[in-house]
Amino acid sequence: MIENTYRILVVDDEPEIRRFLRASLKSHQHEVVEADSGMGAISQLREHHPDLIILDLGLPDIDGVEVTRRVRAWSQVPIVILSVRSREVDKIEALNAGADDYLTKPFGVGELLARVRVVMRRVGNTGTKPIYRVSDLLVDCDRRKVTLAGKEIDLTPTEFDLIRILIENAGKVVTQRQLIHRVWGAAYEDDSRLLRVNISNLRRKIEPNPNQPCYIMTELGIGYRLKDD
Amino acid sequence: MAETIHRPDPDELLARLKDEEQRQARGKLKIFLGYVAGVGKTFAMLEAAHQRREEGLDVVIGYIETHGRKETEALVAGLEVLPRREVAYRGTVMTDMDLDAVLARRPKLVLVDELAHSNAPGLRHPKRYQDVEELLEAGIDVYTTINIQHLESLKDVVQQITNVTIRETVPDRIIDEAYEIELVDLPTDELLSRLKEGKVYIPDQAMQALEKFFRKGNLTALRELSLRRAAERVDNQMVDYMHSQSIPGPWPAGDRIMVCLSSHPMGERLVRVGRRLADDLKGEWYVVFVETPGHLHMPAQNRLRMQQNLRLAEELGARVVSITSESVAESVIDFAHQHNITKIVAGKPLRPRWFEILRGTVIDQIIRNSGRIDVYVVSEGTEIPPKELTKFIPGALAPHKPLSRYIASMFLVMGVTLLGHPLRNILDPTNLVMLYLIAVIVSSVFLGRGPSILASFVSVLAFDFFFIDPLLTFTVYDTQYIVTFIGLLVVGLIISNSAALLHDQVDALRLKGQQSQALNDLSRELTAAISLEQVLQTVIRHVNAMFHREAVILLPENDRLLVRAATPGFSINESELAVADWAFKHGKEAGRGTTTLPAAAIRYIPLVTARETVGVIGNKPQDPQVLLSSDQRILMEGVVNLAAIAIERASFAEKAAQTEMLRNTEKLQTALLNSISHELRTPLATVTGVLSSLEESEHGKPEHRLDQATRLDLIRSATRQADRLNHLVENLLDMTRLEAGAMQLNLEPTDFQDLIGATIHQMSPEVCDRSLNVEIAPDLPLVPVDAVLIAQVLENLLDNACKYSPPQSPITISARVNQDQIEVAVQDCGVGIPAADLERVFDKFYRVQRQETITGTGLGLSICKGIIEAHGGRIWASERAEKGVTISFAIPVHFKGLP
């Protein structure tokens, strides 16, 4: 399979990080544009119109979260966040502000490339993918039908809404708030109980071993990610 | 015949040497003594100062009064004059010597005029001689001037001679301890002519008083006094010299004089007489105060006078002793025998003759039992104001008893009379007397001395009036009843007195009992108090309860006194702090009721232990008029001593704890450095090694190139090591955050099944490649925790389980609810933990000592502990029955965050 190649904007104030990202991305035939600050990122974005941004959160001038917010004001270009672990809250904030995925530093290049692939696959594919199939799990969104290894599974409307939203973003992380907001509405945003109970029920129905789930993965403290391959 | 060599007694010699040394460390005081103003003391002092200056001494003037005389001013001009201190007082500005300026300037010699001067209110000491003493203590020599009439012991003599009241006096010891005295003399005629010429300065307002003073007779008498005093001084020096040079001489027999003091106004005179007698006889002298149970009822005024007299005695150089006893005479005689007293001085107050016959006088008893001791009786003169006299004598009749008690005693007698009336036909009148005796006894026991004496008298009258023929008159036909009357009266009076005495003794005992109980309580509580804070609060509370006084305790910190504890709402200002500071530095009481800075509102007592002064306790009565009685002062002394020791102990303990903490911190730092440097370097060494070998391989000859499999293997190992490094850094960061208290919990209702699953999922296979048994109880509630942090705990526990158990052995994670707590356990089948270490494994940097070379920092479990405790839970290790260890933690299901 010939991989697609993209123009990628790498935003990080650390030259060494930019150096190895540039090397790795170029070796996969991507074109690399660089910026070392938040303002620099925005001007590079206007000038070069990259297909994807890899954005560090800790920037010297404006915060990565703020950069995300400003970019989202006029552009839907996919954003993958780079952050160190201690900035969990920032990660959620950036995701809620519109970032598409995140990676915790230190990270492997393989992981980064996989994230880039997942994110780019979603681009231009905003509508519901009618059929989702991973190993034994098959979800037909149009017909609201879920089967596990050929056996039909009965889902409540809420559970089905949840899996539909996860399927839309398969492979990407979806924050708790985003899920609650879309299933129950903005009024419930601060109460994650319903979400947890429903995810737990959903897993019990579709996961072969709910103790070690293989379809709906939990990103601790952030949200959920549906397996995608 | 060989000459006898008189060797000085070595002890005595040593004492003299010590005395000499002390005098050298102290500054030397030279006093220019005159008999009256105008003899030229200041002039003589200035002349001497000039001489010293020419000898090269550093001489300054601390305070001098030239009274505008030209010759004197000319002498002042050549010397450095320190600026005076200005004190605003009631609208006027007064200037006085600036003591602190002199202390700061530290000259070798300072001139301070008019030793007897009283300082302006608000200065550190009320009297200038106290300033001078402080200067001497600081090692500065002082020249000063004084007139003879200002000597404390001569005060009343001068008063007798001149009829002028002397207000400003200086204790005799100042003169006695002076290094040198220079008598400045001028014949009286010459002085009088100088006075006429206007060469003697007299302030206008004092003109009239002084005109009386400057009569030739007065002046001659004063001159004689001063000459005699100076001669005495020379005589003393001579004796001293003879002593030190072992010259035998006619020593005066070692007389010891004892002055018996009471609260009577003539006490002051007794003290002065004692001092003069002691001076004349060159003997030691004691002033003894016998406190009897009766003194409990002493009016405040007498008590105050008593204290003043005792203080005066101290100033005049007496040894002051206070004895508690029932009988004055007995204890005086006892004391005299014990201390080899040769002469007793006692006063004889004027009392009505009947009083003396009835009660006898203490003097008579003393004289009767004195044996070989001479007794000097000083009779009460007429100079005592009659007002005070009348006040004193009824004191014996206890006029301070409330009126109601007297009325009660009258009712008692009335009741007995009513009771006796129907019985008068059955009983003999003499037997009816017994009823009255009952009334007297009852009133003496319950109502006190006064009412019971009244009852005795009234009983006699009532008995006569109602029961003796002719009835209802005071006339008596049968003279034998006179005996009955006298008997009834005498028995009544004796009973009154004895019962009252008993009463007083019981009171005194009770008071003493209460006091020792209070001290005992304090001491017990102080023993129980562990921290300094507890000790201070205990002392404050007890001072408050025992004396009804507000208290404050100041302790030194970095060379400054700081308020460490106080009665709630009680604070002290800057100037009070300065008083406390003085008390602390000098180890003497200061402030209210003392002679140093008495203008302060609070009395400061230094907390002195055998080693050092540990602080100062200040106390202030809730009612500003109340002074401490002598009993209370003794009690206060006890409290202060206990407090000082307790505070010293507590601060030692605190210091020891601090040292221990420092040592632990140091140990920790060393452990951290050892552990971290090893743990950081090992993976770094691998990564660097791998990278450098890859680089080498790229550069080298083709035959030295690594094959692809080897390269891949190396790279994987470097990645693993980098992961390990990352894990370590994370742990260190978490530790730091926990230590700094910056760990913020992001509590979210969490499904533990989900949490455990996610944790296992995100663990890299390099860290833990086991098959795990996950046993999760069904229907676990959602528990509010910080999922990321708890996942980290699980990760650390799983990591440990993998490290310390053989490969392929099973690891079990279980979760269940146990009494409102969610309990999670990680079990392995590994080497286990020795029972002794089960608790310590959660300590920072603690690692079980083992043969195996399993790497680790000893941080993991202590971080787990920190996180779990932040969730209000606990974590513990237990040995498994078969093999291995179980680490469990429990978190409350309804945790809402720590307070």
Side-chain angles (χ1 to χ4, degrees), chain B residues 337-598:
Chain B
H337 286 312
Q338 277 164 21
H339 292 81
N340 294 325
I341 298 295
T342 55
K343 290 172 170 48
I344 295 176
V345 178
K348 189 172 184 222
L350 274 185
R351 291 189 179 175
R353 194 97 189 106
W354 62 266
F355 191 91
E356 281 179 16
I357 292 168
L358 204 65
R359 301 196 56 191
T361 63
V362 174
I363 291 292
D364 293 340
Q365 291 171 35
I366 292 175
I367 293 171
R368 203 169 303 128
N369 297 315
S370 58
R372 292 174 56 193
I373 304 169
D374 302 338
V375 180
Y376 290 68
V377 179
V378 178
S379 65
E380 191 172 342
T382 44
E383 73 266 34
I384 291 146
K387 194 178 76 190
E388 268 185 277
L389 196 69
T390 49
K391 254 195 185 165
F392 179 70
I393 292 167
L397 290 171
H400 47 275
K401 292 268 161 85
L403 189 64
S404 62
R405 295 187 171 204
Y406 288 88
I407 294 171
S409 75
M410 301 280 285
F411 271 112
L412 217 64
V413 175
M414 215 163 19
V416 167
T417 310
L418 288 175
L419 187 73
H421 210 257
L423 298 175
R424 72 182 190 284
N425 298 326
I426 310 164
L427 293 177
D428 268 354
T430 39
N431 286 336
L432 285 168
V433 167
M434 294 304 149
L435 288 178
Y436 283 104
L437 279 183
I438 291 170
V440 171
I441 289 171
V442 169
S443 41
S444 69
V445 170
F446 295 105
L447 302 174
R449 185 192 315 232
S452 119
I453 289 171
L454 181 70
S456 309
F457 280 107
V458 177
S459 293
V460 171
L461 294 177
F463 177 61
D464 178 11
F465 198 74
F466 293 107
F467 299 107
I468 303 298
D469 290 330
L471 294 181
L472 303 180
T473 65
F474 289 113
T475 325
V476 183
Y477 287 157
D478 195 342
T479 47
Q480 64 167 332
Y481 282 114
I482 300 290
V483 178
T484 316
F485 295 159
I486 292 172
L488 175 58
L489 186 64
V490 169
V491 171
L493 288 178
I494 290 173
I495 286 172
S496 302
N497 219 24
S498 324
L501 206 63
L502 193 71
H503 219 259
D504 290 347
Q505 273 173 1
V506 170
D507 278 352
L509 274 178
R510 191 180 297 143
L511 193 71
K512 281 260 171 351
Q514 278 168 355
Q515 289 180 347
S516 54
Q517 181 65 40
L519 271 184
N520 201 13
D521 285 350
L522 174 65
S523 140
R524 207 180 42 235
E525 271 194 52
L526 283 179
T527 316
I530 298 159
S531 73
L532 184 58
E533 191 54 33
Q534 282 172 315
V535 168
L536 298 180
Q537 289 306 335
T538 308
V539 173
I540 297 273
R541 208 175 53 247
H542 278 263
V543 168
N544 207 316
M546 284 156 86
F547 304 102
H548 302 291
R549 281 174 170 241
E550 296 184 334
V552 58
I553 297 177
L554 301 106
L555 301 184
E557 210 163 277
N558 302 328
D559 294 331
R560 283 187 65 231
L561 271 189
L562 288 180
V563 175
R564 285 291 299 267
T567 313
F570 182 37
S571 66
I572 65 174
N573 58 27
E574 263 317 293
S575 58
E576 290 285 336
L577 204 62
V579 183
D581 202 51
W582 193 91
F584 178 70
K585 289 209 175 105
H586 291 75
K588 289 179 190 159
E589 292 189 27
R592 187 175 185 280
T594 69
T595 52
T596 306
L597 295 162

Side-chain angles (χ1 to χ4, degrees), chain A residues 85 192 196 203 211 217-218 220, chain B residues 730 748-749 753-754 757 791:
Chain A
R85 187 172 183 155
S192 60
R196 310 234 174 252
R203 275 184 178 148
N211 284 345
M217 309 304 215
T218 302
L220 282 172
Chain B
E730 255 163 39
E748 284 266 3
Q753 187 184 28
D754 185 4

Side-chain angles (χ1 to χ4, degrees), chain B residues 646-665:
Chain B
I647 288 170
E648 187 178 51
R649 171 179 61 78
S651 23
F652 276 158
E654 218 168 61
K655 270 180 206 153
Q658 268 170 14
T659 319
E660 179 67 24
M661 212 175 77
L662 269 181
R663 201 178 301 137
N664 280 343
T665 317

Side-chain angles (χ1 to χ4, degrees), chain B residues 56-330:
Chain B
L57 242 59
D58 180 17
V59 183
V60 303
I61 293 177
Y63 182 92
I64 210 136
E65 206 57 78
T66 60
H67 301 302
R69 283 200 291 266
K70 290 223 171 55
E71 310 98 304
T72 319
E73 269 171 5
L75 276 177
V76 169
L79 293 166
E80 178 185 344
V81 184
L82 290 180
R84 293 188 193 179
R85 185 167 164 181
E86 293 189 350
V87 184
Y89 181 68
R90 293 194 183 153
T92 61
V93 175
M94 303 165 88
T95 60
D96 262 309
M97 178 173 72
D98 191 341
L99 177 56
D100 290 320
V102 182
L103 286 170
R105 168 70 177 72
R106 283 204 74 84
K108 182 73 190 92
L109 172 65
V110 64
L111 309 192
V112 183
D113 211 1
E114 293 178 10
L115 185 62
H117 173 76
S118 293
N119 281 334
L123 287 179
R124 187 181 309 164
H125 301 290
K127 298 284 190 178
R128 181 167 292 158
Y129 73 80
Q130 291 170 316
D131 288 352
V132 166
E133 280 191 300
E134 198 170 333
L135 289 171
L136 293 171
E137 255 172 54
I140 299 170
D141 292 350
V142 179
Y143 280 9
T144 189
T145 63
I146 192 171
N147 285 328
I148 193 76
Q149 74 260 30
H150 293 301
L151 239 63
E152 184 66 55
S153 65
L154 296 175
K155 180 182 161 185
D156 58 345
V157 178
V158 173
Q159 218 158 307
Q160 276 169 11
I161 297 171
T162 62
N163 272 331
V164 171
T165 314
I166 310 293
R167 291 218 169 72
E168 298 184 325
T169 59
V170 171
D172 289 54
R173 67 182 160 79
I174 303 285
I175 314 287
D176 296 346
E177 288 167 10
Y179 187 75
E180 257 183 305
I181 289 186
E182 187 169 327
L183 183 70
V184 183
D185 190 37
L186 191 73
T188 36
D189 287 337
E190 218 168 295
L191 179 79
L192 284 170
S193 63
R194 278 188 64 171
L195 194 67
K196 279 195 197 104
E197 288 160 27
K199 281 185 180 170
V200 176
Y201 169 79
I202 298 162
D204 290 346
Q205 68 269 28
M207 197 67 185
Q208 228 177 353
L210 283 176
E211 252 170 30
K212 273 196 284 175
F213 194 85
F214 278 89
R215 274 189 301 221
K216 190 166 178 177
N218 285 353
L219 292 179
T220 311
L222 286 173
R223 190 176 176 208
E224 191 197 332
L225 269 180
S226 62
L227 287 171
R228 216 198 259 181
R229 185 76 198 208
E232 251 171 44
R233 164 87 191 188
V234 173
D235 192 31
N236 282 343
Q237 279 171 344
M238 183 66 190
V239 170
D240 271 354
Y241 177 78
M242 285 163 83
H243 257 304
S244 62
Q245 303 300 317
S246 316
I247 302 167
W251 312 123
D255 265 314
R256 282 160 174 258
I257 294 121
M258 168 180 182
V259 177
C260 306
L261 201 60
S262 73
S263 61
H264 193 268
M266 67 183 294
E268 189 184 337
R269 248 187 88 206
L270 285 178
V271 172
R272 289 182 201 284
V273 168
R275 158 79 195 200
R276 275 208 301 281
L277 200 60
D279 270 0
D280 291 346
L281 299 170
K282 298 190 179 51
E284 261 187 277
W285 66 301
Y286 293 83
V287 169
V288 177
F289 167 58
V290 182
E291 199 174 10
T292 60
H295 281 108
L296 289 175
H297 310 301
M298 190 160 42
Q301 189 192 358
N302 286 9
R303 195 179 289 272
L304 197 68
R305 188 161 50 219
M306 191 66 231
Q307 284 166 8
Q308 281 167 351
N309 287 346
L310 288 176
R311 199 177 298 156
L312 173 74
E314 259 170 32
E315 276 182 11
L316 290 178
R319 297 199 190 175
V320 176
V321 182
S322 206
I323 304 170
T324 311
S325 163
E326 253 172 75
S327 158
V328 177
E330 235 172 69

